Amino acid sequence: QVQLVESGGGLVQPGGSLRLSCEASGTIFSINVMAWYRQAPGKERELVASISLDTGINYADSVKGRFTISRDAAKYTWDLLMDSLKPEDTAVYYCNAVIRPTWRASRSPYWGQGTQVTVSS
């Protein structure tokens, strides 16, 4: 059984910074994609940033130059460092991973529980 657990988040003033972390645990053979999504009230969930073994690092246009995704492959953890935060970054942030639990199993997406990020003065 695979679990994703997030940490970080909270309330920050515009222009401030926050770091989100995600750790995958359980039966894991390989992780192909590590990512962060967000969902603001009344909006669809959107991809913020991802690290793929096949395609590398990708960012949403709205966060390029401000957010940085990184990973520790040895520990199955990945972070999202968010700088120069804006009120429009306010959302629930979810970590996501595409994981193969065993060498026999197919790849499947897994989600964290979500963490609130609020950017407000």
Side-chain angles (χ1 to χ4, degrees), residues 11 14 17 27 29 36 42 45 52 60 66 69 75-76 79 90 94 98 105 116:
L11 174 63
S17 299
T27 303
F29 177 74
W36 290 94
R45 191 173 298 188
S52 167
R66 300 188 298 120
I69 189 170
K75 296 182 179 179
Y76 294 145
D79 291 355
T90 296
Y94 298 88
V98 177
Q116 177 70 44

Side-chain angles (χ1 to χ4, degrees), residues 5 12 18-19 21 43 46 51-54 84 96 113:
V5 178
V12 65
L18 279 177
R19 179 184 292 273
S21 297
K43 295 187 177 181
E46 63 174 355
I51 299 177
S52 167
L53 295 182
D54 299 326
S84 303
N96 163 270
Q113 77 280 6

Side-chain angles (χ1 to χ4, degrees), residues 31-48:
I31 301 181
N32 294 83
V33 179
M34 298 173 173
W36 290 94
Y37 285 73
R38 68 185 180 187
Q39 187 166 19
K43 295 187 177 181
E44 294 185 353
R45 191 173 298 188
E46 63 174 355
L47 176 66
V48 176

Side-chain angles (χ1 to χ4, degrees), residues 11-116:
L11 174 63
V12 65
Q13 293 185 342
S17 299
L18 279 177
R19 179 184 292 273
L20 305 181
S21 297
C22 186
E23 180 175 10
S25 63
T27 303
I28 298 172
F29 177 74
S30 66
I31 301 181
N32 294 83
V33 179
M34 298 173 173
W36 290 94
Y37 285 73
R38 68 185 180 187
Q39 187 166 19
K43 295 187 177 181
E44 294 185 353
R45 191 173 298 188
E46 63 174 355
L47 176 66
V48 176
S50 64
I51 299 177
S52 167
L53 295 182
D54 299 326
T55 60
I57 294 177
N58 180 54
Y59 294 99
D61 289 342
S62 59
V63 307
K64 283 181 181 177
R66 300 188 298 120
F67 290 11
T68 303
I69 189 170
S70 60
R71 70 183 182 104
D72 185 335
K75 296 182 179 179
Y76 294 145
T77 61
W78 57 106
D79 291 355
L80 184 69
L81 176 61
M82 304 182 290
D83 294 320
S84 303
L85 282 161
K86 304 175 181 180
E88 51 263 43
D89 294 318
T90 296
V92 177
Y93 284 71
Y94 298 88
C95 66
N96 163 270
V98 177
I99 296 173
R100 178 179 288 183
T102 67
W103 71 272
R104 289 177 177 269
S106 58
R107 301 173 186 174
S108 297
Y110 293 84
W111 293 90
Q113 77 280 6
T115 185
Q116 177 70 44

